[in-house]
Each structure stands twice: as structure tokens, then as C-alpha cells.
């Protein structure tokens, strides 16, 4: 799934979600989902396409190359590509990591992997909660793997990704206010706790195994 997202190329397109906008209720409301996907993600896609339309020599770059090799781009478009390519990847990943399916969102699916890295599932969730809660201003909380196959929970600012820290992402939480403000206002803590009900642990486990078994 992640490699497919990274391999996309210009012109980038808004893809339909795998589930209806209202299917994550009561945890995330329909209006938030609709605006987040159809307006916020669409804007990142349009902005990235617009930059590349004026710089055709980079239209062959995959989304992953635009993110990971940002330094190779002309200085004048580095910031715009970083923010918008990151915005496209992070959001496509985010919408794939949520599910209304109760079986897939059962954390028991991923528990044996958590327990290789943390003392308990409670400790793991609490760390994830704190990192997401304490991300100052806008950004993301991530579950990542390092090259020694250990899990790490980190956060990034804005639309940055863990690749710059040489970490491979397998799960993420959007903690920009636009992800929760309509329903939760300033209560990021309630949003994060409710988000724990809709994480697609079946997909997270696949992401983990794809990385572990590809080395
Ligand atoms: Mn967002």
C-alpha cells in the first residue's frame, strides 16, 4: 500500500475513499471527512500538479522521489514540493489507515508486534497519545520502524515525513486542527482517543510485514 502511494506520478489525482464519508461516525463526523478529503487533500494535489506543470523536467519523479530527494530540486520549488508532496502522501496514507470495519480495527491483530517493543499495549497507546497530543501546532504522529526493525513513535511538523530521519512509517495520525476541529474544537485529546477506535490494525500489520520481510 505504502509503496503504491510513493510510486504515483504527475498528474496526481484525488482517489475515492474505500468507505463512505459518514462511516467513521461517531468518531469522525461526515462533514470533517468530506472537507478533509474533498477540499484539503484536493488542494495539496492541485498545488503539487501546478508546481510540476511549470517544471516539466520533474514530472517523471515519483511522489516518493519528490519527498525523499527534495534537496535535488531547484531551491525555488523545494518548499512548495515538500509541503504539497508531503500533504498528498500523508493524507492518502491517513485515509487508508482508517476503517469502519470492526474486525480490522481490533488492536489484537497487531498486539504481538507491539509487545516485542513495549511492555504493554496500554504503554504503547499512552505513548502514542502523548506524542500526538504534544505535537505543537500542526503535524502528524507516526508509528515507524528503524533499520534494526524496532518500532518508534515520533511526530513531525507540518507535512514532513519520517523518511528524513531514516524511519519507515507504518501508521499515522493527523493532528492538524482541520482533522478534528469541527467536531472536537480544541479537544485534541478526545479526537486522539476516538481515533484509536478506527485504526486499521490489519493494514498496519501488513505495512509492518511488508517492510520486515523486504529487508
Ligand atoms: Mn489533514
Amino acid at each position: 500500500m505504502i509503496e503504491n502511494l510513493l510510486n504515483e506520478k504527475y498528474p496526481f489525482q484525488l482517489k475515492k475513499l474505500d468507505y463512505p464519508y459518514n462511516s467513521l461516525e461517531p468518531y469522525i463526523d461526515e462533514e470533517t471527512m468530506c472537507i478533509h478529503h474533498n477540499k484539503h487533500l484536493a488542494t495539496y494535489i492541485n498545488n503539487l500538479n501546478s508546481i510540476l506543470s511549470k517544471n516539466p523536467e520533474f514530472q517523471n519523479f515519483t511522489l516518493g522521489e519528490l519527498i525523499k530527494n527534495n534537496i535535488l530540486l531547484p531551491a525555488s520549488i523545494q518548499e512548495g514540493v515538500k509541503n504539497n508532496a508531503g500533504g498528498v502522501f500523508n493524507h492518502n496514507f491517513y485515509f487508508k489507515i482508517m476503517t469502519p470495519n470492526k474486525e480490522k480495527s481490533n488492536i489484537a491483530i497487531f498486539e504481538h508486534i507491539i509487545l516485542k517493543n513495549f511492555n504493554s499495549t496500554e504503554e504503547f497507546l499512552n505513548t502514542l497519545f502523548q506524542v500526538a497530543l504534544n505535537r505543537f501546532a500542526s503535524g502528524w504522529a507516526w508509528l515507524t520502524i528503524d533499520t534494526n526493525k524496532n518500532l518508534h513513535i515520533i511526530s513531525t511538523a507540518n507535512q514532513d515525513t519520517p523518511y528524513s530521519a531514516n524511519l519507515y512509517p507504518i501508521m499515522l495520525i493527523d493532528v492538524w486542527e482541520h482533522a478534528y476541529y469541527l467536531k472536537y474544537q480544541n479537544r485534541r485529546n478526545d479526537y486522539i482517543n476516538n481515533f484509536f477506535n478506527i485504526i486499521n490494525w490489519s493494514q498496519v500489520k501488513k505495512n509492518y510485514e511488508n517492510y520486515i520481510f523486504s529487508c
Side-chain angles (χ1 to χ4, degrees):
M1 178 273 268
I2 294 172
E3 295 309 313
N4 290 344
L5 299 181
L6 289 171
N7 285 333
E8 286 183 15
K9 282 186 182 174
Y10 175 89
F12 296 95
Q13 289 176 341
L14 186 67
K15 291 184 293 291
K16 244 183 132 243
L17 296 188
D18 300 332
Y19 44 80
Y21 287 136
N22 66 1
S23 63
L24 300 177
E25 293 199 2
Y27 308 115
I28 301 184
D29 58 291
E30 179 175 12
E31 189 181 15
T32 297
M33 286 299 294
C34 182
I35 293 173
H36 203 172
H37 180 254
N38 207 31
K39 303 285 185 211
H40 289 278
L41 173 53
T43 300
Y44 290 114
I45 291 171
N46 291 340
N47 288 346
L48 184 58
N49 284 338
S50 169
I51 295 169
L52 292 171
S53 72
K54 296 174 202 129
N55 295 271
E57 63 272 39
F58 303 109
Q59 290 174 2
N60 266 341
F61 276 42
T62 65
L63 187 62
E65 288 167 339
L66 291 168
I67 290 169
K68 296 175 189 176
N69 301 330
N70 188 266
I71 196 79
L72 302 179
L73 301 172
S76 59
I77 64 168
Q78 278 183 12
E79 189 72 12
V81 170
K82 183 172 90 152
N83 290 334
N84 290 293
V88 172
F89 173 71
N90 294 350
H91 283 94
N92 279 333
F93 193 168
Y94 176 73
F95 289 119
K96 287 275 183 196
I97 218 67
M98 297 187 285
T99 181
N101 182 310
K102 292 276 174 253
E103 282 172 31
K104 290 180 177 174
S105 63
N106 185 346
I107 198 168
I109 295 168
F110 194 66
E111 212 149 31
H112 62 291
I113 299 160
I114 292 172
L115 295 177
K116 285 184 189 174
N117 293 268
F118 295 84
N119 292 320
S120 66
T121 302
E122 290 69 31
E123 181 193 288
F124 166 77
L125 288 174
N126 189 46
T127 304
L128 188 55
F129 175 83
Q130 291 297 335
V131 168
L133 184 66
N134 293 327
R135 170 76 256 166
F136 181 72
S138 297
W140 299 79
W142 302 83
L143 181 59
T144 67
I145 316 176
D146 68 19
T147 51
N148 293 322
K149 304 179 182 179
N150 297 313
L151 296 183
H152 294 273
I153 295 169
I154 65 158
S155 74
T156 60
N158 305 316
Q159 296 299 352
D160 293 354
T161 71
Y163 292 110
S164 53
N166 206 22
L167 291 167
Y168 182 88
I170 57 171
M171 197 274 280
L172 75 177
I173 308 174
D174 192 343
V175 290
W176 283 60
E177 282 187 344
H178 69 226
Y180 60 86
Y181 205 86
L182 290 178
K183 180 176 172 72
Y184 295 100
Q185 292 82 47
N186 61 325
R187 300 186 309 279
R188 186 189 282 187
N189 55 334
D190 288 344
Y191 159 69
I192 298 164
N193 274 324
N194 278 316
F195 190 84
F196 288 165
N197 292 295
I198 49 163
I199 296 173
N200 189 337
W201 291 110
S202 171
Q203 183 62 54
V204 178
K205 180 167 175 271
K206 282 181 198 159
N207 294 344
Y208 176 85
E209 288 173 347
N210 282 342
Y211 180 79
I212 293 299
F213 297 130
S214 70
C215 294

